[in-house]
């Protein structure tokens, strides 16, 4: 989140992707990142900007969708890995999946981003359908 804030606000995030962002107090580090993130997106005209990402510059609305994907998908990854599925926002997963299915998503299916979709049942919970669409194999969860 801190790197995204830096890219979104054209400021130095203070570290790189590979650095230890959590330090000795992971909860405080996450709280700070969330607070900075929320402030960045609540700035006037935040969606009217162009955001530089590792793969190129994108308009504010697309940056918001990419960032939502990062937060929601990695949060779901963590909830699944730690058997805390009660923290998963099924409605947000359903909405994001609907948005992604309505766009040309193939350009995002490349190494380091998303794999090919994995088969899942239509009656699976929204988070499982979203993760399968993004190429996550949830057979072990």
């Amino acid at each position: 989140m801190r790197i995204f804030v830096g890219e979104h606000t054209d400021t130095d995030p203070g570290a790189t992707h590979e650095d230890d962002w959590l330090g000795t107090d992971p909860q405080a580090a996450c709280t700070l990142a969330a607070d900075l993130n929320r402030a960045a997106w609540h700035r006037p005209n935040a969606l009217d900007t162009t955001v530089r990402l590792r793969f190129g510059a994108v308009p504010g609305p697309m940056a918001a969708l990419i960032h939502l994907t990062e937060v929601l998908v990695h949060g779901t990854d963590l909830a699944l890995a730690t058997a805390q599925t009660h923290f998963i926002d099924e409605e947000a997963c359903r909405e994001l999946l609907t948005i992604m299915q309505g766009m040309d998503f193939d350009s995002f299916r490349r190494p380091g981003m998303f794999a090919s979709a994995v088969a899942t049942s239509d009656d699976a919970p929204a988070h499982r359908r979203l993760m399968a669409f993004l190429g996550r194999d949830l057979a072990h969860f």
Side-chain angles (χ1 to χ4, degrees), residues 53-134:
L53 300 174
R54 286 192 287 179
F55 58 86
V58 296
M62 179 57 79
L65 179 61
I66 291 167
H67 191 56
L68 171 64
T69 302
E70 289 280 335
V71 172
L72 186 60
V73 170
H74 292 308
T76 301
D77 283 332
L78 289 170
L80 290 169
T82 60
Q84 298 183 77
T85 56
H86 58 281
F87 284 117
I88 296 173
D89 185 333
E90 291 293 336
E91 184 58 29
C93 288
R94 186 176 0 274
E95 290 176 16
L96 182 58
L97 177 59
T98 299
I99 291 168
M100 290 178 162
Q101 288 172 327
M103 58 192 279
D104 178 17
F105 201 77
D106 287 341
S107 62
F108 296 102
R109 295 191 188 283
R110 56 184 171 176
M113 293 183 83
F114 299 103
S116 297
V118 174
T120 191
S121 66
D122 291 340
D123 63 345
H127 76 272
R128 294 186 74 80
R129 289 183 285 124
L130 173 63
M131 300 305 267
F133 179 80
L134 297 177

Side-chain angles (χ1 to χ4, degrees), residues 4-66:
F4 205 96
V5 168
E7 292 168 343
H8 186 58
T9 60
D10 199 26
T11 59
D12 181 3
T16 67
H17 282 277
E18 295 78 20
D19 290 332
D20 177 6
W21 289 87
L22 300 178
T24 59
D25 191 350
Q27 186 172 2
C30 285
T31 298
L32 174 61
D35 289 346
L36 293 171
N37 186 50
R38 195 170 13 267
W41 285 108
H42 281 91
R43 293 175 306 130
N45 304 316
L47 293 178
D48 295 335
T49 62
T50 298
V51 180
R52 294 177 332 273
L53 300 174
R54 286 192 287 179
F55 58 86
V58 296
M62 179 57 79
L65 179 61
I66 291 167

